[in-house]
Amino acid sequence: MCIRDRAYQKRCMINSVPVLAQLKAKFEDDEEGGDIEALHVWEEAGAIGVRAIMEAMIEIKYQHTKSIRFWKAKAQDEGVRATCQFLETNKTVRVLEFMDCEVGVLGAEFIGRVLEPSIDSAITVLKLDHNPLGTAGLAMLARGLCRNSKIQSLSLTFCGIDSDGSKYLQQILAFINSDLKELYLQGNHLKNAGVFQLFRVLEINQVLTMLDISDNQFGEEEKLMEKICDVIVKNQTLKSYNFKFNGIFEDGTKKIIEAIKQSKVEDVKLNDTLAKEVQAELEEAIARNKPKRKPAKKKAK
């Protein structure tokens, strides 16, 4: 039995939680299993179970894990707290994910602290999909993200963020040293007002390359469509948009197509219910912007 296994079993006993079958197999002898670079848990560990895992990692000062993912593990805020305590001492974890783990505002506050420059975390990918963070949770995350220069991909899909959340998205995207390239916001409630404010900051942001705001309850309001089209034309780095499952129909699509023709945008996803001729025109406009593949060089005989 290796030191990891002993530390984990001891922490399970102290916290009065069962050893997860999944981790019992994972925490094997070093000679057989080697370093654990991916700590991925999909069992319902619960907040105390997550704490037992992280206390063991802290105890042995583990510095080999590169990704931590909890999926439907019911980690909750206290599980996030324990994970963040480990991350404060760690410089190897680059991917952090809590998916559908009942993480709320307090958990978001813990993560926001870890993302502050003073901690100097190595995290580049953060996914918190399907958690009840709300706009208040986004505000907590923004405290760290608005000064973070390492996060490259942020996913907050189905997190209950409303139109007021746009001001915190603005803070994150306006940071001059931001390296955030991908932003996933599907299934929130930004609506017309929130999307308009989001696109205001995209007029100055020159780092983001991919934006997903599908299913955010916005439509073809004239002022909003003008702003979206203006960003499509003028933003030189943002080349991929997902607008699906919103109230953009043929009139709005035609305006977007005209903007695409004046831009370098390479991918735009819109509703599948468009008329065939409009869909064909959209695909043609996008195809013109995609870089041409260079023919493969023939090897000299």
Side-chain angles (χ1 to χ4, degrees):
M1 185 184 293
C2 73
I3 188 171
R4 285 185 315 233
D5 201 1
R6 290 197 300 272
Y8 174 54
Q9 291 198 19
K10 181 180 78 173
R11 289 296 169 178
C12 285
M13 290 180 61
I14 291 171
N15 287 283
S16 300
V17 292
V19 173
L20 295 179
Q22 176 191 341
L23 289 187
K24 188 176 181 181
K26 191 79 171 175
F27 287 0
E28 293 178 339
D29 193 299
D30 275 336
E31 292 180 3
E32 296 181 15
D35 295 331
I36 297 176
E37 294 189 352
L39 178 60
H40 299 170
V41 177
W42 54 87
E43 289 186 59
E44 194 175 296
I48 308 304
V50 173
R51 185 171 72 191
I53 297 168
M54 292 304 155
E55 285 178 349
M57 302 279 272
I58 292 170
E59 180 180 335
I60 63 176
K61 298 181 173 64
Y62 204 71
Q63 293 290 330
H64 302 287
T65 302
K66 295 182 179 178
S67 66
I68 295 176
R69 289 183 167 104
F70 290 100
W71 300 313
K72 295 188 176 183
K74 288 195 174 181
Q76 302 176 329
D77 293 340
E78 287 306 310
V80 173
R81 184 203 298 267
T83 304
C84 289
Q85 287 172 343
F86 167 68
L87 291 171
E88 287 177 2
T89 67
N90 176 274
K91 301 302 177 186
T92 62
V93 174
R94 287 173 170 74
V95 177
L96 178 63
E97 180 173 348
F98 288 94
M99 191 193 79
D100 197 7
C101 280
E102 302 178 5
V103 178
V105 176
L106 185 59
E109 183 178 356
F110 297 141
I111 295 171
R113 289 176 187 169
V114 166
L115 298 175
E116 291 181 1
S118 58
I119 301 297
D120 194 28
S121 164
I123 297 169
T124 61
V125 177
L126 176 62
K127 296 184 179 182
L128 300 173
D129 303 337
H130 295 272
N131 287 295
L133 302 176
T135 295
L138 176 59
M140 293 295 107
L141 290 172
R143 292 182 179 182
L145 285 169
C146 73
R147 295 179 292 161
N148 185 286
S149 59
K150 292 184 179 178
I151 292 288
Q152 297 178 358
S153 180
L154 174 63
S155 188
L156 301 171
T157 68
F158 299 95
C159 285
I161 299 167
D162 63 21
S163 57
D164 289 338
S166 60
K167 62 185 174 185
Y168 303 111
L169 295 171
Q170 285 180 330
Q171 292 173 11
I172 295 166
L173 292 165
F175 179 46
I176 192 168
N177 292 321
S178 171
D179 197 29
L180 183 60
K181 294 178 173 66
E182 299 176 354
L183 179 58
Y184 300 89
L185 297 168
Q186 180 185 4
N188 287 293
H189 319 295
L190 293 181
K191 300 187 176 180
N192 287 352
V195 174
F196 181 83
Q197 294 302 325
L198 173 60
F199 272 74
R200 282 189 63 198
V201 74
L202 292 176
E203 290 179 304
I204 60 172
N205 179 282
Q206 294 297 320
V207 179
L208 199 69
T209 62
M210 190 279 170
L211 175 66
D212 182 351
I213 50 171
S214 56
D215 194 13
N216 262 273
Q217 304 175 12
F218 68 92
E220 296 178 326
E221 183 184 66
E222 184 176 355
K223 182 180 175 183
L224 174 58
M225 290 307 302
E226 287 178 2
K227 182 63 68 177
I228 289 174
C229 292
D230 196 41
V231 169
I232 288 174
V233 172
K234 294 180 179 178
N235 190 302
Q236 299 296 302
T237 57
L238 187 45
K239 296 185 178 182
S240 178
Y241 298 83
N242 190 342
F243 297 127
K244 295 184 79 169
F245 313 120
N246 290 296
I248 298 180
F249 304 106
E250 292 192 12
D251 288 345
T253 298
K254 289 177 181 178
K255 291 177 181 178
I256 288 174
I257 289 171
E258 290 307 309
I260 292 171
K261 290 177 180 178
Q262 305 171 59
S263 75
K264 295 182 179 180
V265 171
E266 298 174 6
D267 183 36
V268 176
K269 293 180 175 66
L270 288 159
N271 293 331
D272 297 328
T273 55
L274 295 170
K276 289 184 179 180
E277 59 272 19
V278 178
Q279 182 66 39
E281 189 178 353
L282 173 64
E283 291 173 1
E284 183 182 351
I286 292 170
R288 288 197 193 111
N289 287 351
K290 288 187 176 179
K292 302 294 186 293
R293 290 184 178 180
K294 294 180 180 180
K297 293 181 178 180
K298 293 182 179 180
K299 292 183 179 179
K301 292 182 179 180

XYZ file of all heavy atoms in Angstrom, residues 87-177:
687
model
N -5.569 23.452 -3.816
C -5.061 24.226 -4.954
C -4.175 25.386 -4.527
O -3.303 25.815 -5.285
C -6.234 24.737 -5.804
C -7.018 23.656 -6.566
C -8.268 24.250 -7.186
C -6.142 23.006 -7.627
N -4.395 25.897 -3.331
C -3.544 26.980 -2.828
C -2.102 26.524 -2.642
O -1.181 27.348 -2.626
C -4.104 27.509 -1.499
C -5.375 28.341 -1.669
C -5.945 28.781 -0.339
O -5.319 28.469 0.710
O -7.011 29.427 -0.332
N -1.904 25.212 -2.504
C -0.549 24.677 -2.305
C -0.019 23.975 -3.558
O 1.079 23.445 -3.542
C -0.550 23.644 -1.156
O -1.309 22.489 -1.557
C -1.170 24.232 0.096
N -0.808 24.002 -4.646
C -0.476 23.198 -5.832
C -0.134 24.080 -7.029
O -0.758 25.125 -7.236
C -1.660 22.291 -6.170
C -1.432 21.497 -7.441
O -1.711 21.983 -8.534
N -0.905 20.295 -7.304
N 0.841 23.644 -7.816
C 1.251 24.389 -9.009
C 1.192 23.527 -10.269
O 1.796 23.873 -11.284
C 2.686 24.929 -8.831
C 2.873 25.852 -7.640
C 1.969 27.069 -7.697
C 2.130 27.946 -6.458
N 1.160 29.051 -6.427
N 0.470 22.397 -10.214
C 0.431 21.499 -11.381
C -0.951 21.368 -12.013
O -1.057 21.030 -13.180
C 0.921 20.085 -10.996
O 0.044 19.534 -9.999
C 2.339 20.121 -10.468
N -2.020 21.614 -11.248
C -3.378 21.426 -11.772
C -3.717 22.528 -12.772
O -3.691 23.718 -12.451
C -4.424 21.409 -10.639
C -5.843 21.365 -11.226
C -4.196 20.225 -9.729
N -4.056 22.099 -13.999
C -4.393 23.044 -15.067
C -5.872 23.028 -15.438
O -6.361 23.964 -16.049
C -3.540 22.752 -16.309
C -2.088 23.171 -16.119
C -1.182 22.747 -17.263
N 0.123 23.367 -17.149
C 1.057 23.013 -16.277
N 0.827 22.023 -15.451
N 2.220 23.639 -16.222
N -6.557 21.941 -15.098
C -7.980 21.815 -15.420
C -8.756 21.578 -14.128
O -8.455 20.648 -13.379
C -8.243 20.649 -16.397
C -9.742 20.494 -16.658
C -7.496 20.872 -17.702
N -9.763 22.424 -13.871
C -10.622 22.280 -12.698
C -12.074 22.264 -13.161
O -12.525 23.181 -13.849
C -10.404 23.428 -11.714
C -11.294 23.405 -10.455
C -11.008 22.165 -9.622
C -11.090 24.674 -9.637
N -12.799 21.206 -12.771
C -14.174 21.071 -13.235
C -15.065 20.515 -12.127
O -14.751 19.489 -11.515
C -14.222 20.147 -14.453
C -15.617 19.937 -15.015
C -15.615 19.167 -16.317
O -14.526 18.989 -16.916
O -16.690 18.737 -16.742
N -16.154 21.224 -11.871
C -17.234 20.738 -11.028
C -18.504 20.786 -11.866
O -19.068 21.855 -12.072
C -17.411 21.624 -9.785
C -16.323 21.494 -8.763
C -15.240 22.355 -8.776
C -16.387 20.520 -7.778
C -14.230 22.256 -7.824
C -15.385 20.406 -6.827
C -14.302 21.267 -6.848
N -18.959 19.664 -12.375
C -20.153 19.634 -13.214
C -21.325 19.053 -12.437
O -21.246 17.938 -11.928
C -19.933 18.807 -14.482
C -21.062 18.974 -15.481
S -21.038 17.759 -16.826
C -21.736 16.347 -15.980
N -22.398 19.861 -12.330
C -23.613 19.414 -11.655
C -23.286 18.891 -10.265
O -23.669 17.780 -9.885
C -24.305 18.327 -12.501
C -25.756 18.114 -12.093
O -26.255 18.885 -11.256
O -26.379 17.159 -12.607
N -22.596 19.712 -9.490
C -22.129 19.306 -8.162
C -22.764 20.112 -7.029
O -22.262 20.119 -5.906
C -20.603 19.436 -8.082
S -19.714 18.057 -8.840
N -23.851 20.849 -7.335
C -24.570 21.636 -6.327
C -23.686 22.717 -5.712
O -23.760 23.002 -4.510
C -25.148 20.710 -5.243
C -26.093 19.656 -5.801
C -26.636 18.713 -4.739
O -26.351 18.923 -3.534
O -27.348 17.756 -5.116
N -22.856 23.325 -6.547
C -21.968 24.405 -6.093
C -22.726 25.731 -6.156
O -23.343 26.050 -7.173
C -20.702 24.483 -6.964
C -19.812 25.632 -6.504
C -19.951 23.156 -6.922
N -22.677 26.489 -5.078
C -23.393 27.758 -5.011
C -22.465 28.957 -4.914
O -21.296 28.904 -5.294
N -22.999 30.033 -4.360
C -22.263 31.301 -4.293
C -21.003 31.172 -3.443
O -19.941 31.687 -3.802
C -23.177 32.418 -3.733
C -22.405 33.721 -3.575
C -24.386 32.627 -4.651
N -21.118 30.478 -2.308
C -19.946 30.332 -1.430
C -18.838 29.558 -2.125
O -17.658 29.922 -2.038
C -20.364 29.628 -0.136
C -19.277 29.495 0.940
C -18.750 30.860 1.364
C -19.827 28.726 2.151
N -19.199 28.496 -2.845
C -18.200 27.732 -3.592
C -17.527 28.591 -4.652
O -16.309 28.502 -4.865
N -18.326 29.430 -5.309
C -17.770 30.335 -6.316
C -16.789 31.317 -5.684
O -15.765 31.678 -6.282
C -18.899 31.087 -7.015
N -17.083 31.733 -4.458
C -16.174 32.644 -3.753
C -14.824 31.974 -3.494
O -13.764 32.592 -3.680
C -16.800 33.095 -2.434
C -15.938 34.093 -1.673
C -16.584 34.578 -0.392
O -17.750 34.201 -0.128
O -15.922 35.324 0.358
N -14.847 30.700 -3.084
C -13.600 29.975 -2.844
C -12.772 29.879 -4.126
O -11.555 30.076 -4.120
C -13.894 28.574 -2.317
C -14.590 28.540 -0.987
C -15.590 27.600 -0.728
C -14.256 29.436 0.004
C -16.232 27.563 0.493
C -14.893 29.421 1.245
C -15.887 28.481 1.488
N -13.437 29.559 -5.240
C -12.734 29.430 -6.519
C -12.192 30.787 -6.959
O -11.061 30.886 -7.457
C -13.665 28.843 -7.597
C -14.040 27.405 -7.221
C -12.995 28.870 -8.976
C -15.126 26.800 -8.092
N -12.981 31.838 -6.771
C -12.528 33.180 -7.132
C -11.246 33.561 -6.414
O -10.347 34.174 -6.998
N -11.128 33.172 -5.152
C -9.914 33.479 -4.373
C -8.696 32.753 -4.946
O -7.596 33.319 -5.018
C -10.119 33.080 -2.910
C -11.091 33.954 -2.144
C -11.283 33.409 -0.742
N -12.322 34.120 -0.006
C -12.823 33.712 1.156
N -12.356 32.604 1.718
N -13.763 34.400 1.750
N -8.891 31.483 -5.333
C -7.783 30.697 -5.884
C -7.283 31.290 -7.194
O -6.108 31.128 -7.553
C -8.221 29.223 -6.076
C -7.250 28.453 -6.957
C -8.341 28.534 -4.730
N -8.162 31.984 -7.909
C -7.797 32.545 -9.215
C -7.130 33.916 -9.111
O -6.717 34.477 -10.123
C -9.050 32.655 -10.104
C -9.732 31.317 -10.433
C -11.017 31.561 -11.220
C -8.802 30.411 -11.214
N -7.013 34.439 -7.903
C -6.368 35.743 -7.735
C -4.864 35.630 -7.986
O -4.261 34.581 -7.724
C -6.645 36.292 -6.338
C -8.106 36.696 -6.143
C -8.367 37.259 -4.764
O -7.409 37.352 -3.958
O -9.533 37.600 -4.476
N -4.236 36.687 -8.474
C -2.794 36.640 -8.803
C -1.905 36.249 -7.631
O -0.868 35.629 -7.827
C -2.496 38.079 -9.263
C -3.812 38.628 -9.686
C -4.844 37.983 -8.819
N -2.302 36.576 -6.421
C -1.468 36.279 -5.256
C -1.298 34.773 -5.039
O -0.293 34.331 -4.482
C -2.077 36.906 -3.994
O -3.400 36.421 -3.783
N -2.257 33.967 -5.492
C -2.168 32.509 -5.353
C -1.302 31.921 -6.459
O -0.628 30.911 -6.278
C -3.572 31.869 -5.376
C -4.431 32.435 -4.240
C -3.483 30.353 -5.286
C -3.914 32.150 -2.856
N -1.314 32.554 -7.627
C -0.515 32.112 -8.774
C -0.848 30.670 -9.163
O 0.036 29.838 -9.365
C 0.979 32.247 -8.480
C 1.828 32.121 -9.751
O 1.311 32.451 -10.842
O 2.981 31.680 -9.652
N -2.148 30.387 -9.279
C -2.594 29.055 -9.675
C -2.204 28.760 -11.121
O -2.078 29.662 -11.944
C -4.124 28.965 -9.535
O -4.641 27.867 -10.228
N -2.044 27.479 -11.444
C -1.686 27.064 -12.807
C -2.914 26.777 -13.668
O -2.782 26.405 -14.836
C -0.797 25.825 -12.760
N -4.117 26.954 -13.126
C -5.355 26.574 -13.821
C -5.530 27.392 -15.103
O -5.458 28.626 -15.094
C -6.574 26.770 -12.916
C -6.483 25.847 -11.709
C -7.879 26.494 -13.678
C -7.495 26.155 -10.625
N -5.786 26.683 -16.212
C -6.074 27.338 -17.493
C -7.480 27.044 -17.991
O -7.997 27.757 -18.842
C -5.065 26.911 -18.580
O -5.154 25.493 -18.775
C -3.643 27.289 -18.195
N -8.087 25.963 -17.476
C -9.444 25.583 -17.892
C -10.323 25.454 -16.651
O -10.005 24.694 -15.733
C -9.442 24.245 -18.659
C -10.872 23.833 -19.021
C -8.587 24.349 -19.912
N -11.449 26.209 -16.627
C -12.384 26.167 -15.511
C -13.785 25.889 -16.040
O -14.304 26.634 -16.869
C -12.367 27.496 -14.744
C -13.374 27.635 -13.593
C -13.092 26.595 -12.508
C -13.335 29.043 -13.019
N -14.400 24.794 -15.562
C -15.751 24.419 -15.985
C -16.627 24.229 -14.752
O -16.322 23.410 -13.890
C -15.725 23.120 -16.800
C -14.973 23.235 -18.116
C -15.069 21.939 -18.918
C -14.336 22.050 -20.242
N -14.475 20.806 -21.054
N -17.716 24.989 -14.703
C -18.642 24.918 -13.570
C -20.073 24.735 -14.061
O -21.022 25.274 -13.475
C -18.520 26.193 -12.719
C -17.141 26.463 -12.112
C -17.109 27.830 -11.439
C -16.765 25.368 -11.118
N -20.269 23.972 -15.109
C -21.572 23.819 -15.744
C -22.602 23.167 -14.815
O -22.265 22.319 -13.990
C -21.446 22.962 -17.006
C -20.437 23.528 -18.005
O -20.179 24.743 -17.953
O -19.919 22.747 -18.823
N -23.865 23.588 -14.994
C -25.004 22.981 -14.289
C -24.886 23.093 -12.767
O -25.148 22.144 -12.037
C -25.169 21.513 -14.701
C -25.527 21.326 -16.144
N -26.829 21.315 -16.607
C -24.752 21.160 -17.241
C -26.839 21.140 -17.917
N -25.588 21.055 -18.328
N -24.487 24.262 -12.299
C -24.476 24.548 -10.871
C -25.278 25.823 -10.608
O -25.286 26.733 -11.442
C -23.036 24.751 -10.365
C -22.268 23.448 -10.284
O -22.599 22.568 -9.500
N -21.235 23.308 -11.112
N -25.949 25.930 -9.462
C -26.789 27.108 -9.178
C -25.979 28.311 -8.698
O -26.211 28.850 -7.609
C -27.730 26.587 -8.089
C -26.914 25.567 -7.356
C -26.058 24.899 -8.404
N -25.047 28.764 -9.512
C -24.187 29.881 -9.132
C -24.952 31.196 -9.145
O -24.809 32.036 -8.250
C -22.996 29.992 -10.091
C -22.075 28.779 -10.223
C -21.021 29.033 -11.279
C -21.418 28.460 -8.890
N -25.756 31.382 -10.196
C -26.469 32.636 -10.359
C -25.522 33.797 -10.618
O -24.296 33.633 -10.688
N -26.077 34.971 -10.738
C -25.274 36.176 -10.947
C -24.398 36.477 -9.735
O -23.263 36.948 -9.878
C -26.190 37.364 -11.262
O -26.859 37.120 -12.510
C -25.416 38.663 -11.382
N -24.899 36.178 -8.542
C -24.094 36.409 -7.331
C -22.846 35.538 -7.333
O -21.764 35.982 -6.925
C -24.942 36.119 -6.094
N -22.965 34.310 -7.824
C -21.804 33.434 -7.921
C -20.811 33.924 -8.954
O -19.595 33.872 -8.741
N -21.324 34.417 -10.085
C -20.442 34.985 -11.110
C -19.681 36.187 -10.553
O -18.493 36.373 -10.853
C -21.259 35.395 -12.338
C -20.495 36.102 -13.454
C -19.360 35.237 -13.992
C -21.441 36.493 -14.587
N -20.346 36.986 -9.730
C -19.679 38.138 -9.116
C -18.498 37.692 -8.264
O -17.433 38.330 -8.264
C -20.675 38.924 -8.264
N -18.664 36.567 -7.544
C -17.570 36.035 -6.719
C -16.415 35.542 -7.598
O -15.246 35.791 -7.308
C -18.078 34.894 -5.844
C -19.078 35.285 -4.770
S -18.385 36.380 -3.505
C -19.182 37.923 -3.953
N -16.749 34.855 -8.669
C -15.709 34.373 -9.591
C -14.954 35.539 -10.218
O -13.739 35.487 -10.409
C -16.341 33.530 -10.700
C -16.906 32.170 -10.309
C -17.660 31.566 -11.483
C -15.796 31.226 -9.855
N -15.688 36.584 -10.546
C -15.082 37.735 -11.227
C -14.026 38.433 -10.376
O -13.113 39.068 -10.916
C -16.167 38.735 -11.638
N -14.125 38.303 -9.067
C -13.119 38.925 -8.197
C -11.718 38.411 -8.514
O -10.735 39.149 -8.427
C -13.450 38.655 -6.723
C -14.700 39.356 -6.231
C -14.930 39.074 -4.751
N -16.119 39.756 -4.246
C -16.523 39.705 -2.973
N -15.818 39.011 -2.085
N -17.605 40.350 -2.588
N -11.638 37.135 -8.863
C -10.352 36.575 -9.249
C -10.121 36.640 -10.746
O -9.025 36.978 -11.207
N -11.165 36.338 -11.522
C -11.015 36.277 -12.980
C -10.701 37.639 -13.600
O -10.057 37.700 -14.645
C -12.293 35.716 -13.609
C -12.497 34.203 -13.462
C -13.903 33.815 -13.887
C -11.460 33.439 -14.282
N -11.141 38.714 -12.974
C -10.898 40.041 -13.565
C -9.442 40.464 -13.451
O -9.037 41.482 -14.023
C -11.810 41.085 -12.924
S -11.368 41.541 -11.235
N -8.633 39.652 -12.735
C -7.192 39.928 -12.626
C -6.359 38.700 -12.967
O -5.173 38.653 -12.675
C -6.856 40.403 -11.208
C -7.493 41.736 -10.820
C -7.129 42.122 -9.413
N -7.731 41.231 -8.424
C -7.300 41.107 -7.172
N -6.243 41.781 -6.761
N -7.905 40.293 -6.330
N -6.998 37.718 -13.600
C -6.316 36.452 -13.896
C -5.794 36.441 -15.329
O -6.540 36.728 -16.269
C -7.293 35.287 -13.694
C -6.639 33.938 -13.866
O -6.330 33.528 -14.970
N -6.414 33.233 -12.767
N -4.523 36.095 -15.496
C -3.905 36.103 -16.824
C -3.590 34.694 -17.331
O -2.864 34.553 -18.313
C -2.608 36.926 -16.790
O -1.701 36.379 -15.847
N -4.164 33.665 -16.679
C -3.847 32.287 -17.078
C -5.041 31.514 -17.621
O -4.870 30.622 -18.448
C -3.232 31.526 -15.896
C -1.853 32.047 -15.510
C -1.236 31.210 -14.401
C 0.149 31.723 -14.033
N 0.753 30.944 -12.926
N -6.239 31.818 -17.142
C -7.420 31.092 -17.611
C -7.608 31.315 -19.108
O -7.662 32.446 -19.580
C -8.691 31.544 -16.865
C -8.632 31.115 -15.404
C -9.951 30.978 -17.533
C -8.809 29.631 -15.174
N -7.714 30.221 -19.857
C -7.909 30.298 -21.307
C -9.293 29.836 -21.738
O -9.759 30.201 -22.815
C -6.845 29.454 -22.018
C -5.433 29.947 -21.793
C -4.395 29.070 -22.459
O -4.705 28.056 -23.080
N -3.127 29.450 -22.332
N -9.937 29.018 -20.912
C -11.269 28.512 -21.248
C -12.143 28.545 -20.002
O -11.771 27.998 -18.964
C -11.179 27.088 -21.797
O -12.460 26.586 -22.129
N -13.318 29.189 -20.117
C -14.249 29.329 -19.001
C -15.625 28.860 -19.443
O -16.175 29.359 -20.425
C -14.313 30.793 -18.544
C -15.344 31.137 -17.465
C -15.028 30.401 -16.160
C -15.384 32.648 -17.231
N -16.181 27.884 -18.731
C -17.495 27.349 -19.075
C -18.441 27.486 -17.886
O -18.198 26.918 -16.818
C -17.376 25.881 -19.503
O -18.609 25.415 -20.001
N -19.525 28.251 -18.098
C -20.532 28.498 -17.064
C -21.917 28.243 -17.647
O -22.810 29.080 -17.562
C -20.427 29.946 -16.557
C -19.090 30.368 -15.945
C -19.062 31.868 -15.701
C -18.829 29.612 -14.640
N -22.113 27.101 -18.265
C -23.383 26.807 -18.916
C -24.433 26.371 -17.889
O -24.121 25.689 -16.926
C -23.240 25.719 -19.993
O -22.935 24.468 -19.376
C -22.117 26.074 -20.966
N -25.669 26.826 -18.107
C -26.797 26.465 -17.240
C -26.495 26.765 -15.769
O -26.663 25.919 -14.898
C -27.177 24.996 -17.438
C -27.604 24.670 -18.840
C -26.687 24.165 -19.759
C -28.901 24.895 -19.268
C -27.061 23.880 -21.064
C -29.297 24.621 -20.570
C -28.374 24.112 -21.467
N -26.063 27.994 -15.505
C -25.705 28.397 -14.144
C -26.652 29.454 -13.569
O -26.385 29.997 -12.497
C -24.272 28.917 -14.101
S -23.018 27.609 -14.214
N -27.740 29.762 -14.270
C -28.720 30.706 -13.743
C -28.248 32.147 -13.716
O -28.702 32.941 -12.880
N -27.375 32.529 -14.646
C -26.859 33.905 -14.715
C -27.843 34.764 -15.493
O -28.223 34.433 -16.622
C -25.478 33.924 -15.389
C -24.487 33.081 -14.581
C -24.963 35.353 -15.546
C -23.200 32.779 -15.300
N -28.271 35.886 -14.923
C -29.241 36.750 -15.594
C -28.556 37.952 -16.243
O -27.323 38.018 -16.309
C -30.344 37.187 -14.628
C -29.832 38.026 -13.453
O -28.741 38.620 -13.555
O -30.538 38.081 -12.418
N -29.368 38.893 -16.714
C -28.827 40.035 -17.475
C -27.868 40.883 -16.644
O -26.935 41.490 -17.183
C -29.967 40.907 -18.014
O -30.791 41.366 -16.956
N -28.060 40.927 -15.315
C -27.146 41.704 -14.471
C -25.745 41.092 -14.440
O -24.779 41.771 -14.085
C -27.695 41.788 -13.044
C -28.915 42.687 -12.933
O -29.091 43.545 -13.821
O -29.699 42.514 -11.984
N -25.638 39.836 -14.818
C -24.330 39.185 -14.839
C -23.393 39.747 -15.888
O -22.175 39.540 -15.819
N -23.954 40.485 -16.849
C -23.116 41.022 -17.932
C -22.044 41.980 -17.410
O -20.959 42.066 -17.982
C -23.988 41.733 -18.971
O -24.702 42.803 -18.376
N -22.337 42.683 -16.303
C -21.320 43.628 -15.805
C -20.102 42.884 -15.264
O -18.965 43.385 -15.346
C -21.908 44.555 -14.757
C -22.421 43.901 -13.508
C -23.084 44.973 -12.612
C -23.747 44.330 -11.404
N -24.485 45.347 -10.609
N -20.309 41.675 -14.759
C -19.172 40.882 -14.265
C -18.424 40.231 -15.429
O -17.205 40.091 -15.380
C -19.662 39.850 -13.260
C -20.400 40.495 -12.109
C -21.771 40.329 -11.949
C -19.733 41.320 -11.203
C -22.451 40.953 -10.917
C -20.400 41.953 -10.169
C -21.766 41.765 -10.038
O -22.434 42.399 -9.018
N -19.162 39.877 -16.472
C -18.507 39.393 -17.692
C -17.664 40.503 -18.301
O -16.568 40.255 -18.820
C -19.550 38.894 -18.692
C -20.354 37.655 -18.259
C -21.487 37.397 -19.229
C -19.449 36.432 -18.154
N -18.167 41.727 -18.234
C -17.394 42.870 -18.727
C -16.093 43.023 -17.958
O -15.028 43.258 -18.553
C -18.223 44.154 -18.604
C -19.331 44.291 -19.632
C -20.115 45.575 -19.460
O -20.252 46.093 -18.353
N -20.641 46.093 -20.547
N -16.158 42.883 -16.639
C -14.951 43.011 -15.822
C -13.909 41.967 -16.215
O -12.715 42.265 -16.310
C -15.307 42.849 -14.338
C -16.134 43.975 -13.767
C -16.599 43.691 -12.343
O -16.136 42.746 -11.694
N -17.518 44.493 -11.849
N -14.370 40.746 -16.445
C -13.459 39.654 -16.806
C -12.828 39.902 -18.166
O -11.609 39.755 -18.346
C -14.222 38.310 -16.800
C -14.694 37.968 -15.383
C -13.348 37.184 -17.354
C -15.728 36.856 -15.318
N -13.638 40.289 -19.138
C -13.168 40.435 -20.519
C -12.405 41.740 -20.760
O -11.696 41.857 -21.756
C -14.349 40.337 -21.482
C -14.995 38.941 -21.567
C -16.352 39.017 -22.253
C -14.082 37.978 -22.307
N -12.570 42.697 -19.868
C -11.883 43.981 -20.041
C -10.469 43.979 -19.471
O -9.699 44.917 -19.719
C -12.698 45.098 -19.392
N -10.110 42.939 -18.725
C -8.769 42.883 -18.129
C -7.718 42.864 -19.225
O -7.719 42.008 -20.111
C -8.650 41.638 -17.255
C -7.305 41.462 -16.603
C -6.675 42.514 -15.967
C -6.664 40.225 -16.623
C -5.431 42.348 -15.360
C -5.435 40.045 -16.024
C -4.817 41.111 -15.393
N -6.799 43.803 -19.160
C -5.844 44.010 -20.252
C -4.900 42.827 -20.444
O -4.436 42.558 -21.557
C -5.038 45.319 -20.019
C -4.271 45.698 -21.292
C -4.118 45.193 -18.810
C -3.699 47.087 -21.270
N -4.633 42.073 -19.371
C -3.722 40.932 -19.475
C -4.458 39.593 -19.544
O -3.851 38.540 -19.328
C -2.749 40.924 -18.298
C -1.768 42.083 -18.363
O -1.300 42.442 -19.439
N -1.473 42.680 -17.223
